[in-house]
Amino acid sequence: MKQSTFFVPTLRDTPSGADIISHQLMLRAGMMRQNAAGVYSFLPLGWKALRKVEQIVREEMDKAGAQEMFMPSIQPAELWKESGRWEAYGEELMRLKDRHGREFALGPTHEEVITSLVRDEVRSYKELPKMMYQIQTKFRDERRPRFGVLRGREFLMKDCYSFDRDFEGLDQSYMTMYEAYNNVFQRLHLNFRAVKADSGAMGGKDTHEFMVLSDIGEDTIAYSDGSDFAANIEIAPVNTVYSQSGEAREEMAKVHTPAAGSIDEVTAFLQTEASRCIKSMLFDVDGTLTLILVRGDHDVNEIKVKHELHAEHVELASEEQTKAALGTPPGFAGPVSISSDLPVHADHAVEAVVNGICGANEQDYHFQHVQPGRDFTVTAYGDFRTIQEGDPSPDGKGTIRFKEGIEVGHVFKLGTKYSEALGATYLNEQGRAAPIVMGSYGIGVSRTLAAVIEQHHDENGIVWPEDIAPFDVHVIAINAKQEEQLKLGEDIYEQLRRAGLDVLFDDRPERAGVKFKDADLIGIPVRIQVGKRAAEGIVEVKNRRTGEVRELSASEAVAELTGK
Ligand code: 9G3
């Protein structure tokens, strides 16, 4: 490809509104342009890079035995009504009507479509297991699209679905995909972790997210510095064993704490520490008001509340609900002398509190020297708090550290949630109808491309790993107005292309500085610079990552790059 014709509008300056490096560089290197918030065009250079990522994903899916197919983005609302998700999803689900007024969804994912396909076509256990995937545009109407394609409203996803006779089969499919994902992200030279995650609305039990470590990641990973434990902090389990202090237990006493509604205010006012406080928060748990207690230096984890209490819906009660149930604003809520039909669930750390402090369910009052079990009852203890840095790792090895991550992949064991909702059954060996057992596996392909740039750039621009660089070699005629430089550059360009390499040739009559800045932005790993010594047939071979420059004859350079 000659740059005199290539459509690659590079930018000198950082565009406003691009806050992260991958977004900035994808715009500055002329890889993409925004059409609307969260909606992008991939220009030729960006599209080439995107297809290289896609190709690695495709190769690993095919190797894993998945069959590529392609499903529509326009999905009949009926399917989403059958699965119950038409109502469940709000404004994020993009909807449209056809000319006859029929309702459709613009596909954010394809469980409904593929399950209805399999329902209609798969009859017998002999046809299972099956694994199908597609690489397709998804639509999700994010309220605040940002960070370029990292959180867009139209993006490229590889979504794969497995269909098995039973859960052992699903375990096998899941492991196969899990390994394929490791291969994909290793081949993309990404520093990533597979972390235990929350299946959220998808149901099912096992699920892992593949996280690219990055400070701008929106997810937080809790990982151990002494083992390979890693989990999304949303679900990272805490199994710390707490020791009780040996101090003498004193009688509970009410104390006036004027306008001290927060833990910081109470600990400052009473000159005590947060670990002696008991934080009481009222939640609506599937319609039942429930008091959740955690130690003052810990945070309630709502996803854990949902799991521990096997609830579908968990939401912090409103101030009115708290006043009605406990007769006090949230800042002074507590578990002492409350109506017995209000369940109290406490995090394990609360059980070890001695002479604790909690709200007295009265404006401006707390209790001191409170003893769980003696002064209030706990319906049940459980793991309700978010893990913290410094906690012991749940596997007993090492200490927990936090790291931000970009979720580039997510694998789910769906079980029979969709096959039962849509009636996708098969006749088992006893001739009886049984629901197909499913898994679903996603990779954000355009998001992954951005993640590669997040991890592979320097102050001058992108530094592509060899395997996914949009071109193999960048040839530059430094002064294209100089006949022998342009001619030698063209010869090298043609020889490399004939050898099957993907070559970008900068034949533009631009100043050297412009050419080098563009080349650094675009980030092709190997560069051949044809300059002053062209007349002697000598060129410079430059390594974009290390900056190393070597002088070689044109033929040596070509031989080295073509391996001949
Ligand atoms: C929706 C909307 C947004 C969504 C979903 C549905 C995320 C939704 C989860 C998944 C699960 C897996 C197959 C590939 C791997 C991920 N956001 N999810 O289901 F209607 Cl608006 O997409 N799907």
Side-chain angles (χ1 to χ4, degrees):
M1 173 57 69
K2 292 187 175 182
Q3 270 178 266
S4 52
T5 61
F6 194 38
F7 177 42
V8 55
T10 54
L11 301 171
R12 278 288 156 274
D13 305 320
T14 300
S16 64
D19 306 322
I20 59 168
I21 189 65
S22 58
H23 188 190
Q24 294 167 2
L25 290 177
M26 288 176 79
L27 295 171
R28 288 190 55 207
M31 292 175 65
M32 75 179 186
R33 283 294 182 272
Q34 178 173 308
N35 294 79
V39 179
Y40 293 90
S41 294
F42 275 90
L43 310 187
L45 182 68
W47 181 238
K48 263 176 96 61
L50 191 61
R51 275 184 299 161
K52 297 250 175 154
V53 172
E54 212 186 271
Q55 192 48 31
I56 285 176
V57 172
R58 179 171 282 117
E59 284 166 10
E60 292 303 327
M61 288 297 110
D62 294 346
K63 231 163 74 183
Q67 303 174 48
E68 186 166 7
M69 63 183 290
F70 193 75
M71 289 178 268
S73 292
I74 300 177
Q75 304 181 8
E78 291 73 11
L79 289 180
W80 284 75
K81 288 175 181 171
E82 263 186 85
S83 71
R85 295 212 288 181
W86 184 258
E87 300 311 325
Y89 278 89
E91 293 160 308
E92 194 185 347
L93 180 59
M94 296 185 99
R95 306 159 200 254
L96 74 153
K97 282 201 168 80
D98 70 9
R99 59 193 301 167
H100 308 292
R102 289 192 209 97
E103 291 178 302
F104 292 83
L106 267 183
T109 181
H110 282 69
E111 280 81 7
E112 284 78 1
V113 174
I114 194 143
T115 307
S116 64
L117 257 176
V118 168
R119 165 187 66 191
D120 300 342
E121 306 302 332
V122 169
R123 296 260 172 282
S124 151
Y125 68 94
K126 293 187 187 111
E127 299 170 76
L128 297 175
K130 281 276 184 310
M131 198 182 272
M132 273 94 76
Y133 78 95
Q134 64 172 349
I135 299 179
Q136 216 249 28
T137 304
K138 294 287 184 286
F139 299 87
R140 293 179 186 175
D141 199 354
E142 296 285 348
R143 191 196 349 220
R144 280 183 58 250
R146 63 184 194 144
F147 290 178
V149 292
L150 277 192
R151 182 167 289 283
R153 295 196 289 172
E154 177 177 350
F155 54 92
L156 199 59
M157 183 197 276
K158 181 285 302 171
D159 42 327
C160 179
Y161 303 86
S162 61
F163 304 89
D164 281 283
R165 301 173 187 171
D166 49 33
F167 279 87
E168 296 90 83
L170 170 58
D171 289 348
Q172 184 50 53
S173 298
Y174 190 86
M175 272 324 296
T176 302
M177 274 294 118
Y178 188 91
E179 279 147 31
Y181 274 47
N182 276 292
N183 296 343
V184 166
F185 299 121
Q186 275 153 12
R187 287 180 63 188
L188 289 169
H189 302 280
L190 285 168
N191 178 10
F192 72 96
R193 294 286 184 289
V195 306
K196 291 181 184 58
D198 173 43
S199 53
M202 296 309 290
K205 52 185 179 50
D206 277 2
T207 172
H208 284 83
E209 286 163 341
F210 284 77
M211 296 283 194
V212 166
L213 304 187
S214 158
D215 294 343
I216 55 100
E218 294 185 335
D219 290 278
T220 304
I221 304 158
Y223 70 94
S224 165
D225 61 7
S227 74
D228 62 3
F229 171 83
N232 190 310
I233 63 160
E234 287 176 348
I235 55 104
V238 170
N239 56 17
T240 308
V241 178
Y242 303 95
S243 54
Q244 281 201 340
S245 93
E247 68 191 78
R249 283 156 175 59
E250 299 180 45
E251 279 311 299
M252 183 174 82
K254 196 186 249 186
V255 59
H256 186 216
T257 51
S262 74
I263 294 295
D264 291 350
E265 287 159 341
V266 170
T267 48
F269 186 81
L270 296 176
Q271 291 303 301
T272 180
E273 56 281 339
S275 58
R276 192 180 283 279
C277 295
I278 295 171
K279 212 176 340 185
S280 310
M281 300 169 83
L282 197 64
F283 280 90
D284 172 339
V285 176
D286 280 350
T288 306
L289 285 182
T290 306
L291 200 60
I292 302 291
L293 312 183
V294 295
R295 216 170 67 182
D297 54 331
H298 294 153
D299 296 310
V300 174
N301 180 320
E302 294 190 13
I303 290 178
K304 283 189 175 179
V305 173
K306 196 155 56 165
H307 289 317
E308 289 277 321
L309 304 184
H310 310 294
E312 277 297 307
H313 174 81
V314 166
E315 190 174 9
L316 194 60
S318 67
E319 210 169 299
E320 294 67 37
Q321 286 176 301
T322 306
K323 276 211 188 80
L326 298 169
T328 171
F332 297 89
V336 176
S337 321
I338 57 173
S339 63
S340 57
D341 58 13
L342 189 63
V344 177
H345 290 270
D347 182 72
H348 292 300
V350 169
E351 191 163 19
V353 168
V354 176
N355 295 328
I357 293 149
C358 68
N361 287 322
E362 193 180 332
Q363 176 76 31
D364 296 345
Y365 281 89
H366 280 79
F367 284 121
Q368 270 186 329
H369 316 317
V370 171
Q371 208 48 52
R374 184 191 71 186
D375 303 323
F376 63 87
T377 51
V378 171
T379 313
Y381 285 97
D383 176 5
F384 293 109
R385 75 172 177 89
T386 298
I387 202 164
Q388 291 180 336
E389 287 201 290
D391 278 340
S393 173
D395 64 6
K397 285 175 256 163
T399 305
I400 289 295
R401 293 272 167 274
F402 282 179
K403 183 79 189 106
E404 305 310 313
I406 303 169
E407 179 195 332
V408 289
H410 202 154
V411 290
F412 291 82
K413 285 183 181 171
L414 293 179
T416 57
K417 175 181 160 90
Y418 290 90
S419 45
E420 278 172 351
L422 280 83
T425 60
Y426 71 98
L427 284 181
N428 65 17
E429 288 163 280
Q430 292 73 36
R432 264 203 299 285
I436 293 173
V437 181
M438 290 174 62
S440 77
Y441 318 89
I443 289 180
V445 177
S446 38
R447 179 182 278 189
T448 298
L449 176 66
V452 168
I453 295 172
E454 284 293 328
Q455 290 197 340
H456 294 277
H457 67 271
D458 63 14
E459 66 283 358
N460 300 316
I462 301 168
V463 185
W464 291 108
E466 282 67 15
D467 327 42
I468 57 168
F471 289 96
D472 301 317
V473 186
H474 196 169
V475 179
I476 301 179
I478 293 173
N479 177 351
K481 294 174 188 140
Q482 256 265 4
E483 184 50 36
E484 66 259 21
Q485 286 191 30
L486 186 61
K487 174 112 186 50
L488 180 55
E490 256 168 23
D491 290 349
I492 293 168
Y493 172 61
E494 290 307 337
Q495 287 175 59
L496 293 174
R497 278 167 42 121
R498 269 200 299 280
L501 291 176
D502 219 347
V503 189
L504 181 62
F505 177 36
D506 192 348
D507 59 341
R508 297 173 298 165
E510 298 279 351
R511 283 183 298 102
V514 167
K515 295 186 161 202
F516 289 138
K517 277 200 181 310
D518 283 349
D520 285 346
L521 264 181
I522 291 168
I524 306 306
V526 176
R527 185 184 308 172
I528 295 184
Q529 299 174 168
V530 182
K532 292 191 175 47
R533 302 191 61 185
E536 306 154 65
I538 301 292
V539 298
E540 288 179 331
V541 179
K542 179 166 184 175
N543 177 314
R544 172 67 182 85
R545 183 175 299 279
T546 63
E548 179 211 15
V549 179
R550 291 175 296 136
E551 284 203 328
L552 293 174
S553 73
S555 50
E556 280 166 342
V558 169
E560 192 179 277
L561 287 168
T562 57
K564 289 192 173 75

